Amino acid sequence: MSTELRLTPASYIVLGVLEALGEATPYDLKQAVGAGLGYFWSLQHAQLYTEPERLAGAGYLSERREESGRRRRHYKVTAKGRKALLAWLAEPTAKLTELRDLALLKVFFGADPKAMAAAQVPAHEAQLSLYEEMREAGVEGLPDGAQITLEAGIEAERIWAGFWKRVGESN
Amino acid sequence: MSTELRLTPASYIVLGVLEALGEATPYDLKQAVGAGLGYFWSLQHAQLYTEPERLAGAGYLSERREESGRRRRHYKVTAKGRKALLAWLAEPTAKLTELRDLALLKVFFGADPKAMAAAQVPAHEAQLSLYEEMREAGVEGLPDGAQITLEAGIEAERIWAGFWKRVGESN
DNA sequence: ACCGTCATGTAATCGGTTACATGATTCT
DNA sequence: AGAATCATGTAACCGATTACATGACGGT
């Protein structure tokens, strides 16, 4: 049965969110991802339809389809899916993320750093404010992982705002 | 003639490197990318064969093929290519890069932060050392853009090393 | 001569994105 | 009732990755 398939980060996002929600439709996933995770790892909404389908086909999810009306698909993590998720979570990674920052790429190839800074500073500051508000709003309720992730996001935005500010001010 | 085509970051990397090198084979590109840029935005070597082909097909590059021996392909930026590159460079971007960090993703979904920190701290510190050595080695020679990018890399690694260290030490 | 590594490419696959489309709801 | 928005999905394309393969070259 089990069609072999490669599990990508998107796969684990679906598994992880679904595990937290219990049972959900692609639209539920979209809402859940958009509520937080999506800020640092977003997915196209279409992928929240195709990825569960892939996973269900390989036995990581079970699918239940409504009989009437919208015939929505509801997915749930199976034992196999849960096992895969937990195995992935249990394995720490030493992998480093590449920056892949478009603004930096342009500067690397000779774009005017000052002009880039002028565009980047406000953008990073806005994102920083947003994250800080999120922290205020949900101080207690957040699960540990989400809390740590949010802190990471705040630090990152703070750094980049500062970095570009300095670039913009350098003589 | 001009087949329309979307220019991706990979396209601009090829254009940018090629503009700096004058004329080059895919292997030259690979070497050039690996020498620096690749640390923050890497490409598969196969893409350094297919992407120039795409670009040449649309008139952004000219192609010259060796008659004898290896029949290597040599590419050069055309006027059209140069124009596209410059237009891209001239347009500052306010786009923010998502973190998309695998370690953070796992922690978000419940992986043990301490264990993750234990794997991430040394990795980030090693990368930091590497960048600092690069800075020592090439203090004067680097073009401005590369210099700024390197500084950004150093800051980023410093932050992340510190971040994970704190995560690992928190009680 | 042989072997390992560097160099050079092609083929096949597929995840992810973009575009297209229609069904429900809610609000005025 | 009509418009706007939210919800839900499918289809097609394609950039990027993976896998496969062979050629040249330097050293022993």
Side-chain angles (χ1 to χ4, degrees), chain B residues 45-141:
Chain B
H45 92 272
Q47 209 172 352
L48 294 174
Y49 288 86
T50 54
E51 188 62 28
E53 189 184 333
R54 254 177 32 102
L55 291 174
Y60 294 91
L61 303 180
S62 65
E63 179 182 331
R64 175 177 67 78
R65 188 148 193 190
E66 293 176 359
E67 293 296 326
S68 62
R70 297 198 166 190
R71 313 209 63 226
R72 290 196 205 83
R73 297 167 203 271
H74 295 253
Y75 293 97
K76 201 185 317 194
V77 178
T78 63
K80 178 176 179 184
R82 188 164 304 110
K83 188 175 155 219
L85 176 61
L86 292 177
W88 180 75
L89 288 177
E91 188 177 341
T93 177
K95 191 170 299 184
L96 300 181
T97 305
E98 293 180 359
L99 289 182
R100 291 188 175 244
D101 184 281
L102 203 54
L104 273 182
L105 186 62
K106 292 194 182 200
V107 168
F108 181 87
F109 282 124
D112 175 27
K114 296 275 179 69
M116 201 61 68
Q120 289 281 305
V121 169
H124 281 292
E125 283 180 342
Q127 196 71 7
L128 177 57
S129 302
L130 175 62
Y131 287 163
E132 284 174 336
E133 277 166 30
M134 287 173 67
R135 180 167 54 181
E136 306 310 314
V139 212
E140 72 248 42

Side-chain angles (χ1 to χ4, degrees), chain B residues 27 37 42 64 78 117 120 142 155:
Chain B
Y27 195 71
L37 177 58
S42 71
R64 175 177 67 78
T78 63
Q120 289 281 305
L142 288 177
E155 286 212 35

Side-chain angles (χ1 to χ4, degrees), chain B residues 137-170:
Chain B
V139 212
E140 72 248 42
L142 288 177
D144 283 2
Q147 179 72 39
I148 292 176
T149 306
L150 181 53
E151 295 298 334
I154 288 174
E155 286 212 35
E157 291 306 329
R158 213 192 292 284
I159 292 316
W160 291 120
F163 172 79
W164 286 112
K165 203 173 290 186
R166 259 172 292 123
V167 168
E169 286 163 359
S170 71

Side-chain angles (χ1 to χ4, degrees), chain A residues 13-24 29 32 77 85 143, chain B residues 108-109:
Chain A
I13 289 174
V14 168
L15 283 169
V17 172
L18 218 38
E19 176 71 0
L21 295 182
E23 193 185 37
L29 294 177
V77 177
L85 175 62
Chain B
F108 181 87
F109 282 124

Side-chain angles (χ1 to χ4, degrees), chain A residues 6 27 45 49 70-73:
Chain A
R6 245 171 318 180
Y27 195 74
H45 92 273
Y49 288 86
R70 298 197 166 193
R71 312 210 64 224
R72 290 197 207 82
R73 297 168 202 272

